[in-house]
Amino acid sequence: MTKKNDITALDEVAGNGLLSRRLLLRGGVAMAGAASTLVATQGASAEPLKEPEWSRYQGTTVEPMGRRSKNEKDTTRILTNPKGEPRTQHARTPHHLLNGQITPNHLHFTILHNGIPDIDPEQHKLVIHGMVKQPIVLSMDRLMRYPMVTRQTFIECGGNSAALFSNEPVQANLQSLHGLVSNAEWTGVPLSAVLDEVGIDPKAKWMLVEGADTAAITRSVPLKKALDDAILVLFQNGERLMAEQGYPVRLLLPGWEGNMNIKYVRRIKIVDQPALTYYEARNYSPLLPDAKAYRFFFVNEVKSFITHPSFGMKLNEPGYYEISGIAYSGAGRIERVQVTADGGKTWADAAVQGPTMHKAFTRFHIPWRWDGKPAVLSSRAVDDGGNIQPLRDDFVRERGVTQKPVTNPFGFPNQHYNSLTSWGINAKGEISHVYA
Amino acid sequence: MSMLEKISFAACVAVALSTSAMADDKNGLGTNVGLGQPITESDIKPWDITILPDGTNLPPGSGTAVVGAKLFLEKGCNACHGEGGTGGSNGAVITDIPLAGRGIEATKTIKNFWGSSTTVFDFIRRAMPWPAPRTLTDDEVYALTAFILEGNKLIPPGTVMDAKSLPQVKMPNKDGFIIKFPDRI
C-alpha cells in the first residue's frame, strides 16, 4: 500500500518540498491519488497497546482555579528581571510552545516599568478633562455600566524582535526574539462613547493618557485614533484584566505599539499638542542610520514569523512536517502569507486560518516534505491595505543594522522591526537563525 | 422596550454616532450614557502633572544647578545615575556622547536626542527618584532640571529654571525627527 516515498509524488508548489496548502483544506486530504498518501506510515510497526496506570484510579480533585498538566510546567514566560531590581521588567510569550491564535492570560507578554501596582477597583477613578465642556470622573462601577464591545487584537511592544536589527544572526529562540507580542480577546467600553459625554473642543487634536502605576506612564495619542477604535478594556479573554495587564482598566489602541496601550488608566486629558513624554520622546522614536529618528511611529506594521519549526527544535527524520506560524498587521487584516523553504528563491501561498480579523493574530500553515538536506524557512505576510512585510535587504537599507553583532537577545538596539525571520535547517535537522 | 433595553439601545446609537459626531461636538444630543460624575479642573489639579513642550502646565517655582547638585546627592539620584549624574547602573543623565557616527545603536541622551527641555522636568517630577516618585517639590524638580541641563551645557551657568525660562532652552536635536505616519495624527 502506501510507502514512505509516496509522499514525493505530491505536487510541490515551491522549492525544497513545499506542498500545496490545499492538502490542508477540508476535503483536500480525501482527494484521490497522491493526496491520500499523506496517511502513509513511517518506520517500524507500533507496540501492542496496554491499559496505562493513570486510567485505573480516581484522579486528583478538581480545584476552583483550573490547573494545566504538570507536564507543561516549562511552558512559561522568560523574565528579564525576576528579582524586581529598580528597572524595567519584561516577560516574553513562549510562541514556540503554543498554537492557535489566542495567548492564554498567564502567558501574555508584559512589560512593567516599576512593578505591578496593587489597585483597589472600588477606589480607582478615571478622570477625563482638558479641552472639554464638562470634565468627568468615573468609578469602575459606573464604567462597567457602559455598552461594551469585544474584539480580538494583538498587542506588540515597539521593541519586539529588536535583536534582529543585529548585523549578524542571533542564536536565540522564538520566545526571546519575538516574545513581546501576544493576542487576546478584549472586552470593554469604546472610548468614543465616554468621550462623547465630555464634549470635546473642536480645536483639540490629542489626548494624554496616564496610568496609576508607580511610574505614572503616560503617552500622547491622536484623537483620531481615540475616536476610531480605542477601547477602555475591562476583560481579557473573558475574565477581568490580569493585574499585570492594567487591572482594573487599560487603554487598548488596536495595532499600535504596546507602550501606548496605557495600563491602570486614571487620567485622560484632551489637548491640542502632543506632550513629548519620556517614552515617545526617547525610547519609541526609532533611530535611522543617518542619526535622524522617526517620531510618532505608533503602528506595528505587517509582520509574520514561523513558530513551528523554529530555533532550538530538531527535525528527527526526513518526511512530512507542517510549517506553521503567526501573521498580523497593525494596519488591517492579513490577506496572504507566503512561505519559502529555499531561502526566498521560490515562495508558496500558505493556508490562512479564517475568519481573519483586523489587527489580530492570523495563523498560517503549509505542508512540507523535508528531504533531509539543508533548507531555509521563512514567511512573508501581506495585509488588506496592500502592505507587504519587507524583505531583509529592503528593510535594512531604510532602517539600518547594528555595527556590532547583538549578543543579548533581550536588548533593544532599535524599535519596530517587521522584516522576515529565517530559520536555517542543516542536514542533521538542527535549526538556527540565519539571514536569507 | 424595557428601561434597560432602551438604555442599551440608546447607548448603541451613541457608539455608532460617536465616531462621526465627535469632531463637531454633538454632546447634548442625548445620545450619551451620561454616567460620568462632573468634577472641576481645580479638583483634578493634584493629578494634572503633564507638561507640554510650550510650557503649558509648568507650575510656579524655580531652581538652579547649585541647589540641584546638592539634591542629586540628598535624594539618592547618584545611586542609580552615578556621581554627578555621569554614569551608574541606570545610565548617565549628564554626558557628551554624540548621536551621529554610531549608527542605529547610538545611545540616546538628554543632550543628543531629546526634542524638548520640558520632558526633563515632566519625567523627573513624574517618575524620579525611582523608588519614591512624586515626592519632590516643584522647586526641587526645577533645581534638578537646572542641574542636568547645566551639566549638559544646554544652559549657561547660574541660569534660573522656572516656568518661563525652561521651555526656551534650545535642545540641539529638536529638528532631528521625521513624523512616520502624518496621516494618522
Side-chain angles (χ1 to χ4, degrees), chain B residues 108-160:
Chain B
K108 297 170 181 171
T109 70
I110 293 172
K111 181 173 187 172
N112 75 18
F113 195 74
W114 293 26
S116 173
S117 57
T118 51
T119 309
V120 182
F121 183 98
D122 179 294
F123 189 64
I124 293 175
R125 184 166 71 158
R126 160 187 312 280
M128 295 297 147
W130 197 248
R134 299 184 295 290
T135 54
L136 301 171
T137 66
D138 292 337
D139 283 337
E140 287 170 340
V141 179
Y142 275 120
L144 286 160
T145 304
F147 169 67
I148 289 172
L149 293 175
E150 190 173 307
N152 281 310
K153 302 194 181 62
L154 295 169
I155 53 174
T159 314
V160 177

Tab-separated table of all heavy atoms in Angstrom, chain B residues 108-160:
chain	number	residue	atom	x	y	z
B	108	LYS	N	20.928	57.220	23.094
B	108	LYS	CA	20.120	58.438	23.082
B	108	LYS	C	20.265	59.106	24.448
B	108	LYS	O	19.959	58.483	25.470
B	108	LYS	CB	18.649	58.097	22.854
B	108	LYS	CG	18.351	57.440	21.508
B	108	LYS	CD	16.906	56.919	21.513
B	108	LYS	CE	16.546	56.234	20.219
B	108	LYS	NZ	15.235	55.551	20.303
B	109	THR	N	20.729	60.340	24.472
B	109	THR	CA	20.853	61.048	25.744
B	109	THR	C	19.981	62.301	25.728
B	109	THR	O	19.492	62.717	24.673
B	109	THR	CB	22.310	61.470	26.014
B	109	THR	OG1	22.654	62.507	25.086
B	109	THR	CG2	23.270	60.301	25.842
B	110	ILE	N	19.834	62.891	26.912
B	110	ILE	CA	19.049	64.124	27.011
B	110	ILE	C	19.632	65.161	26.055
B	110	ILE	O	18.912	65.824	25.318
B	110	ILE	CB	19.057	64.648	28.463
B	110	ILE	CG1	18.286	63.678	29.360
B	110	ILE	CG2	18.496	66.071	28.545
B	110	ILE	CD1	18.377	63.964	30.848
B	111	LYS	N	20.973	65.247	26.042
B	111	LYS	CA	21.618	66.292	25.252
B	111	LYS	C	21.582	65.986	23.748
B	111	LYS	O	21.292	66.857	22.940
B	111	LYS	CB	23.070	66.434	25.701
B	111	LYS	CG	23.814	67.520	24.948
B	111	LYS	CD	25.187	67.741	25.548
B	111	LYS	CE	25.858	68.936	24.892
B	111	LYS	NZ	27.096	69.277	25.588
B	112	ASN	N	21.869	64.741	23.383
B	112	ASN	CA	21.988	64.477	21.946
B	112	ASN	C	20.677	64.093	21.277
B	112	ASN	O	20.607	63.996	20.053
B	112	ASN	CB	23.086	63.422	21.676
B	112	ASN	CG	22.668	61.989	22.024
B	112	ASN	OD1	21.492	61.672	22.162
B	112	ASN	ND2	23.649	61.108	22.162
B	113	PHE	N	19.612	63.833	22.052
B	113	PHE	CA	18.404	63.284	21.416
B	113	PHE	C	17.101	63.984	21.772
B	113	PHE	O	16.280	64.263	20.906
B	113	PHE	CB	18.287	61.795	21.733
B	113	PHE	CG	17.313	61.059	20.849
B	113	PHE	CD1	17.628	60.768	19.529
B	113	PHE	CD2	16.066	60.663	21.328
B	113	PHE	CE1	16.723	60.096	18.695
B	113	PHE	CE2	15.156	59.989	20.507
B	113	PHE	CZ	15.493	59.699	19.200
B	114	TRP	N	16.892	64.275	23.061
B	114	TRP	CA	15.560	64.743	23.479
B	114	TRP	C	15.183	66.031	22.744
B	114	TRP	O	15.987	66.957	22.639
B	114	TRP	CB	15.511	64.971	24.985
B	114	TRP	CG	15.631	63.711	25.800
B	114	TRP	CD1	16.236	62.546	25.419
B	114	TRP	CD2	15.145	63.495	27.119
B	114	TRP	NE1	16.150	61.626	26.425
B	114	TRP	CE2	15.492	62.174	27.485
B	114	TRP	CE3	14.453	64.284	28.040
B	114	TRP	CZ2	15.158	61.629	28.732
B	114	TRP	CZ3	14.132	63.743	29.284
B	114	TRP	CH2	14.470	62.423	29.623
B	115	GLY	N	13.921	66.079	22.299
B	115	GLY	CA	13.469	67.209	21.491
B	115	GLY	C	12.934	68.377	22.294
B	115	GLY	O	12.729	69.459	21.757
B	116	SER	N	12.684	68.156	23.596
B	116	SER	CA	12.099	69.247	24.383
B	116	SER	C	12.629	69.224	25.824
B	116	SER	O	12.692	68.170	26.461
B	116	SER	CB	10.571	69.116	24.413
B	116	SER	OG	10.030	70.077	25.297
B	117	SER	N	12.987	70.402	26.328
B	117	SER	CA	13.504	70.504	27.697
B	117	SER	C	12.420	70.207	28.727
B	117	SER	O	12.705	69.781	29.845
B	117	SER	CB	14.043	71.916	27.931
B	117	SER	OG	12.999	72.856	27.682
B	118	THR	N	11.159	70.422	28.341
B	118	THR	CA	10.065	70.211	29.300
B	118	THR	C	9.939	68.738	29.701
B	118	THR	O	9.454	68.429	30.782
B	118	THR	CB	8.718	70.680	28.705
B	118	THR	OG1	8.560	70.072	27.405
B	118	THR	CG2	8.673	72.186	28.562
B	119	THR	N	10.414	67.847	28.810
B	119	THR	CA	10.354	66.412	29.110
B	119	THR	C	11.211	66.092	30.341
B	119	THR	O	10.896	65.182	31.106
B	119	THR	CB	10.824	65.588	27.891
B	119	THR	OG1	10.107	66.036	26.734
B	119	THR	CG2	10.562	64.102	28.073
B	120	VAL	N	12.303	66.836	30.521
B	120	VAL	CA	13.185	66.590	31.665
B	120	VAL	C	12.423	66.875	32.964
B	120	VAL	O	12.399	66.051	33.885
B	120	VAL	CB	14.467	67.454	31.582
B	120	VAL	CG1	15.399	67.132	32.761
B	120	VAL	CG2	15.181	67.247	30.249
B	121	PHE	N	11.783	68.034	33.009
B	121	PHE	CA	11.004	68.392	34.203
B	121	PHE	C	9.877	67.384	34.418
B	121	PHE	O	9.693	66.849	35.513
B	121	PHE	CB	10.423	69.806	34.041
B	121	PHE	CG	9.663	70.278	35.255
B	121	PHE	CD1	10.277	71.098	36.190
B	121	PHE	CD2	8.337	69.884	35.469
B	121	PHE	CE1	9.577	71.536	37.323
B	121	PHE	CE2	7.639	70.306	36.596
B	121	PHE	CZ	8.258	71.135	37.523
B	122	ASP	N	9.120	67.128	33.363
B	122	ASP	CA	7.959	66.238	33.455
B	122	ASP	C	8.374	64.871	33.982
B	122	ASP	O	7.746	64.319	34.891
B	122	ASP	CB	7.295	66.100	32.079
B	122	ASP	CG	6.090	65.171	32.101
B	122	ASP	OD1	6.269	63.957	32.342
B	122	ASP	OD2	4.958	65.642	31.872
B	123	PHE	N	9.478	64.334	33.412
B	123	PHE	CA	9.849	62.960	33.773
B	123	PHE	C	10.406	62.873	35.189
B	123	PHE	O	10.111	61.931	35.915
B	123	PHE	CB	10.831	62.378	32.744
B	123	PHE	CG	11.079	60.905	32.950
B	123	PHE	CD1	10.042	59.983	32.812
B	123	PHE	CD2	12.330	60.424	33.297
B	123	PHE	CE1	10.251	58.617	33.007
B	123	PHE	CE2	12.550	59.052	33.501
B	123	PHE	CZ	11.505	58.157	33.355
B	124	ILE	N	11.203	63.853	35.591
B	124	ILE	CA	11.740	63.820	36.963
B	124	ILE	C	10.592	63.945	37.965
B	124	ILE	O	10.508	63.198	38.933
B	124	ILE	CB	12.784	64.940	37.180
B	124	ILE	CG1	14.025	64.673	36.329
B	124	ILE	CG2	13.164	65.040	38.662
B	124	ILE	CD1	15.055	65.785	36.374
B	125	ARG	N	9.684	64.879	37.696
B	125	ARG	CA	8.596	65.072	38.664
B	125	ARG	C	7.691	63.847	38.726
B	125	ARG	O	7.237	63.436	39.785
B	125	ARG	CB	7.756	66.297	38.298
B	125	ARG	CG	6.684	66.557	39.340
B	125	ARG	CD	6.060	67.904	39.223
B	125	ARG	NE	5.213	68.036	38.051
B	125	ARG	CZ	4.259	68.951	37.962
B	125	ARG	NH1	4.061	69.815	38.938
B	125	ARG	NH2	3.526	69.042	36.880
B	126	ARG	N	7.468	63.227	37.572
B	126	ARG	CA	6.551	62.096	37.471
B	126	ARG	C	7.152	60.794	38.015
B	126	ARG	O	6.453	60.034	38.684
B	126	ARG	CB	6.221	61.943	35.982
B	126	ARG	CG	5.686	60.634	35.493
B	126	ARG	CD	5.590	60.636	33.970
B	126	ARG	NE	4.949	61.844	33.474
B	126	ARG	CZ	3.629	62.050	33.452
B	126	ARG	NH1	2.818	61.109	33.874
B	126	ARG	NH2	3.132	63.186	33.005
B	127	ALA	N	8.423	60.552	37.707
B	127	ALA	CA	8.940	59.188	37.893
B	127	ALA	C	10.186	59.070	38.775
B	127	ALA	O	10.639	57.970	39.047
B	127	ALA	CB	9.225	58.569	36.518
B	128	MET	N	10.775	60.183	39.210
B	128	MET	CA	12.018	60.119	39.977
B	128	MET	C	11.851	60.770	41.350
B	128	MET	O	11.043	61.689	41.478
B	128	MET	CB	13.145	60.804	39.205
B	128	MET	CG	13.510	60.107	37.919
B	128	MET	SD	14.147	58.450	38.213
B	128	MET	CE	13.562	57.603	36.753
B	129	PRO	N	12.627	60.392	42.372
B	129	PRO	CA	13.532	59.245	42.309
B	129	PRO	C	12.734	57.948	42.175
B	129	PRO	O	11.675	57.812	42.785
B	129	PRO	CB	14.291	59.302	43.635
B	129	PRO	CG	13.415	60.078	44.556
B	129	PRO	CD	12.618	61.014	43.696
B	130	TRP	N	13.248	57.028	41.390
B	130	TRP	CA	12.560	55.780	41.029
B	130	TRP	C	11.877	55.107	42.227
B	130	TRP	O	10.719	54.692	42.120
B	130	TRP	CB	13.591	54.854	40.385
B	130	TRP	CG	13.046	53.705	39.588
B	130	TRP	CD1	13.146	52.388	39.908
B	130	TRP	CD2	12.354	53.758	38.335
B	130	TRP	NE1	12.569	51.612	38.929
B	130	TRP	CE2	12.069	52.422	37.952
B	130	TRP	CE3	11.938	54.792	37.503
B	130	TRP	CZ2	11.406	52.107	36.771
B	130	TRP	CZ3	11.270	54.479	36.333
B	130	TRP	CH2	11.011	53.160	35.984
B	131	PRO	N	12.532	55.002	43.382
B	131	PRO	CA	11.866	54.319	44.498
B	131	PRO	C	10.793	55.169	45.186
B	131	PRO	O	10.017	54.636	45.965
B	131	PRO	CB	13.012	54.027	45.493
B	131	PRO	CG	14.280	54.307	44.743
B	131	PRO	CD	13.943	55.325	43.708
B	132	ALA	N	10.738	56.462	44.930
B	132	ALA	CA	9.748	57.311	45.609
B	132	ALA	C	9.303	58.454	44.699
B	132	ALA	O	9.518	59.628	44.997
B	132	ALA	CB	10.339	57.871	46.905
B	133	PRO	N	8.687	58.117	43.573
B	133	PRO	CA	8.311	59.175	42.636
B	133	PRO	C	7.230	60.098	43.201
B	133	PRO	O	6.474	59.701	44.089
B	133	PRO	CB	7.786	58.409	41.410
B	133	PRO	CG	7.409	57.063	41.908
B	133	PRO	CD	8.274	56.784	43.096
B	134	ARG	N	7.172	61.308	42.674
B	134	ARG	CA	6.186	62.324	43.055
B	134	ARG	C	6.280	62.686	44.533
B	134	ARG	O	5.295	62.942	45.205
B	134	ARG	CB	4.768	61.884	42.650
B	134	ARG	CG	4.653	61.693	41.129
B	134	ARG	CD	3.284	61.357	40.621
B	134	ARG	NE	2.764	60.082	41.065
B	134	ARG	CZ	3.217	58.890	40.663
B	134	ARG	NH1	4.211	58.812	39.796
B	134	ARG	NH2	2.667	57.788	41.128
B	135	THR	N	7.530	62.695	45.040
B	135	THR	CA	7.760	63.180	46.404
B	135	THR	C	8.572	64.470	46.391
B	135	THR	O	8.789	65.076	47.435
B	135	THR	CB	8.528	62.129	47.243
B	135	THR	OG1	9.720	61.766	46.540
B	135	THR	CG2	7.693	60.889	47.491
B	136	LEU	N	9.066	64.886	45.214
B	136	LEU	CA	9.866	66.118	45.138
B	136	LEU	C	8.938	67.322	45.070
B	136	LEU	O	7.855	67.245	44.480
B	136	LEU	CB	10.755	66.086	43.883
B	136	LEU	CG	11.753	64.924	43.768
B	136	LEU	CD1	12.400	64.922	42.377
B	136	LEU	CD2	12.822	65.009	44.851
B	137	THR	N	9.372	68.452	45.638
B	137	THR	CA	8.604	69.687	45.485
B	137	THR	C	8.906	70.255	44.097
B	137	THR	O	9.896	69.882	43.461
B	137	THR	CB	9.009	70.741	46.527
B	137	THR	OG1	10.370	71.126	46.250
B	137	THR	CG2	8.908	70.202	47.948
B	138	ASP	N	8.057	71.161	43.634
B	138	ASP	CA	8.280	71.749	42.309
B	138	ASP	C	9.611	72.506	42.267
B	138	ASP	O	10.321	72.454	41.259
B	138	ASP	CB	7.108	72.663	41.936
B	138	ASP	CG	5.823	71.858	41.706
B	138	ASP	OD1	5.935	70.637	41.414
B	138	ASP	OD2	4.726	72.428	41.830
B	139	ASP	N	9.958	73.208	43.345
B	139	ASP	CA	11.258	73.889	43.390
B	139	ASP	C	12.400	72.883	43.227
B	139	ASP	O	13.377	73.141	42.524
B	139	ASP	CB	11.442	74.635	44.720
B	139	ASP	CG	10.656	75.947	44.757
B	139	ASP	OD1	10.349	76.481	43.671
B	139	ASP	OD2	10.351	76.419	45.872
B	140	GLU	N	12.267	71.746	43.899
B	140	GLU	CA	13.309	70.714	43.791
B	140	GLU	C	13.424	70.183	42.362
B	140	GLU	O	14.520	69.955	41.851
B	140	GLU	CB	13.025	69.559	44.771
B	140	GLU	CG	13.288	69.939	46.229
B	140	GLU	CD	12.793	68.900	47.242
B	140	GLU	OE1	11.923	68.060	46.891
B	140	GLU	OE2	13.252	68.955	48.391
B	141	VAL	N	12.278	69.996	41.721
B	141	VAL	CA	12.306	69.492	40.338
B	141	VAL	C	12.956	70.535	39.420
B	141	VAL	O	13.783	70.193	38.573
B	141	VAL	CB	10.893	69.126	39.842
B	141	VAL	CG1	10.951	68.637	38.390
B	141	VAL	CG2	10.277	68.042	40.724
B	142	TYR	N	12.633	71.814	39.606
B	142	TYR	CA	13.284	72.870	38.803
B	142	TYR	C	14.792	72.840	39.030
B	142	TYR	O	15.583	72.968	38.088
B	142	TYR	CB	12.725	74.245	39.163
B	142	TYR	CG	11.444	74.611	38.425
B	142	TYR	CD1	10.265	74.877	39.117
B	142	TYR	CD2	11.434	74.715	37.031
B	142	TYR	CE1	9.090	75.214	38.450
B	142	TYR	CE2	10.254	75.060	36.349
B	142	TYR	CZ	9.095	75.302	37.065
B	142	TYR	OH	7.952	75.640	36.400
B	143	ALA	N	15.202	72.661	40.285
B	143	ALA	CA	16.634	72.679	40.598
B	143	ALA	C	17.349	71.482	39.966
B	143	ALA	O	18.423	71.627	39.371
B	143	ALA	CB	16.839	72.685	42.115
B	144	LEU	N	16.743	70.295	40.076
B	144	LEU	CA	17.358	69.099	39.478
B	144	LEU	C	17.401	69.227	37.954
B	144	LEU	O	18.375	68.835	37.303
B	144	LEU	CB	16.584	67.845	39.897
B	144	LEU	CG	16.807	67.418	41.354
B	144	LEU	CD1	15.691	66.498	41.844
B	144	LEU	CD2	18.180	66.742	41.512
B	145	THR	N	16.364	69.813	37.386
B	145	THR	CA	16.332	70.041	35.936
B	145	THR	C	17.460	70.998	35.547
B	145	THR	O	18.186	70.759	34.564
B	145	THR	CB	14.960	70.623	35.523
B	145	THR	OG1	13.948	69.725	35.965
B	145	THR	CG2	14.850	70.795	34.015
B	146	ALA	N	17.628	72.074	36.317
B	146	ALA	CA	18.699	73.040	36.045
B	146	ALA	C	20.064	72.362	36.134
B	146	ALA	O	20.944	72.565	35.289
B	146	ALA	CB	18.616	74.201	37.037
B	147	PHE	N	20.224	71.507	37.151
B	147	PHE	CA	21.492	70.794	37.337
B	147	PHE	C	21.821	69.932	36.111
B	147	PHE	O	22.953	69.945	35.596
B	147	PHE	CB	21.399	69.925	38.598
B	147	PHE	CG	22.531	68.955	38.760
B	147	PHE	CD1	23.833	69.401	38.997
B	147	PHE	CD2	22.310	67.583	38.672
B	147	PHE	CE1	24.888	68.498	39.148
B	147	PHE	CE2	23.353	66.676	38.826
B	147	PHE	CZ	24.644	67.131	39.057
B	148	ILE	N	20.816	69.208	35.617
B	148	ILE	CA	21.035	68.318	34.464
B	148	ILE	C	21.277	69.135	33.191
B	148	ILE	O	22.192	68.851	32.413
B	148	ILE	CB	19.844	67.340	34.308
B	148	ILE	CG1	19.881	66.320	35.454
B	148	ILE	CG2	19.867	66.637	32.957
B	148	ILE	CD1	18.667	65.410	35.541
B	149	LEU	N	20.490	70.189	32.973
B	149	LEU	CA	20.651	70.994	31.755
B	149	LEU	C	21.986	71.746	31.776
B	149	LEU	O	22.685	71.824	30.760
B	149	LEU	CB	19.471	71.967	31.601
B	149	LEU	CG	18.108	71.300	31.334
B	149	LEU	CD1	16.996	72.350	31.310
B	149	LEU	CD2	18.122	70.514	30.016
B	150	GLU	N	22.352	72.253	32.924
B	150	GLU	CA	23.617	72.994	33.024
B	150	GLU	C	24.810	72.042	32.867
B	150	GLU	O	25.773	72.343	32.162
B	150	GLU	CB	23.685	73.750	34.361
B	150	GLU	CG	24.852	74.725	34.418
B	150	GLU	CD	24.820	75.595	35.679
B	150	GLU	OE1	23.769	76.228	35.951
B	150	GLU	OE2	25.850	75.628	36.384
B	151	GLY	N	24.723	70.884	33.509
B	151	GLY	CA	25.779	69.884	33.379
B	151	GLY	C	25.983	69.468	31.930
B	151	GLY	O	27.099	69.172	31.497
B	152	ASN	N	24.905	69.452	31.178
B	152	ASN	CA	24.976	69.100	29.756
B	152	ASN	C	25.299	70.308	28.868
B	152	ASN	O	25.234	70.212	27.640
B	152	ASN	CB	23.644	68.479	29.307
B	152	ASN	CG	23.525	67.013	29.713
B	152	ASN	OD1	24.435	66.228	29.472
B	152	ASN	ND2	22.413	66.649	30.334
B	153	LYS	N	25.607	71.439	29.516
B	153	LYS	CA	25.939	72.685	28.811
B	153	LYS	C	24.821	73.140	27.866
B	153	LYS	O	25.064	73.665	26.783
B	153	LYS	CB	27.252	72.539	28.036
B	153	LYS	CG	28.424	72.157	28.941
B	153	LYS	CD	29.753	72.366	28.216
B	153	LYS	CE	30.943	71.983	29.073
B	153	LYS	NZ	30.969	70.547	29.456
B	154	LEU	N	23.588	72.916	28.290
B	154	LEU	CA	22.450	73.362	27.492
B	154	LEU	C	21.944	74.718	27.977
B	154	LEU	O	21.162	75.376	27.291
B	154	LEU	CB	21.328	72.312	27.542
B	154	LEU	CG	21.695	70.969	26.887
B	154	LEU	CD1	20.658	69.895	27.203
B	154	LEU	CD2	21.855	71.122	25.372
B	155	ILE	N	22.383	75.136	29.164
B	155	ILE	CA	22.083	76.485	29.674
B	155	ILE	C	23.363	77.056	30.291
B	155	ILE	O	24.196	76.295	30.791
B	155	ILE	CB	20.939	76.480	30.727
B	155	ILE	CG1	21.236	75.480	31.866
B	155	ILE	CG2	19.598	76.167	30.084
B	155	ILE	CD1	20.248	75.513	33.016
B	156	PRO	N	23.539	78.375	30.238
B	156	PRO	CA	24.727	78.983	30.840
B	156	PRO	C	24.707	78.794	32.358
B	156	PRO	O	23.623	78.719	32.948
B	156	PRO	CB	24.593	80.474	30.487
B	156	PRO	CG	23.550	80.557	29.433
B	156	PRO	CD	22.660	79.367	29.596
B	157	PRO	N	25.899	78.735	32.972
B	157	PRO	CA	25.979	78.549	34.429
B	157	PRO	C	25.135	79.584	35.167
B	157	PRO	O	25.123	80.760	34.795
B	157	PRO	CB	27.467	78.754	34.736
B	157	PRO	CG	28.176	78.444	33.450
B	157	PRO	CD	27.235	78.826	32.352
B	158	GLY	N	24.420	79.100	36.162
B	158	GLY	CA	23.645	80.011	37.015
B	158	GLY	C	22.254	80.339	36.512
B	158	GLY	O	21.510	81.049	37.186
B	159	THR	N	21.876	79.834	35.343
B	159	THR	CA	20.540	80.147	34.815
B	159	THR	C	19.460	79.588	35.748
B	159	THR	O	19.522	78.429	36.156
B	159	THR	CB	20.329	79.527	33.412
B	159	THR	OG1	21.476	79.789	32.621
B	159	THR	CG2	19.085	80.079	32.740
B	160	VAL	N	18.500	80.448	36.084
B	160	VAL	CA	17.381	80.003	36.922
B	160	VAL	C	16.344	79.319	36.036
B	160	VAL	O	15.950	79.863	35.004
B	160	VAL	CB	16.735	81.213	37.647
B	160	VAL	CG1	15.527	80.767	38.475
B	160	VAL	CG2	17.773	81.913	38.523
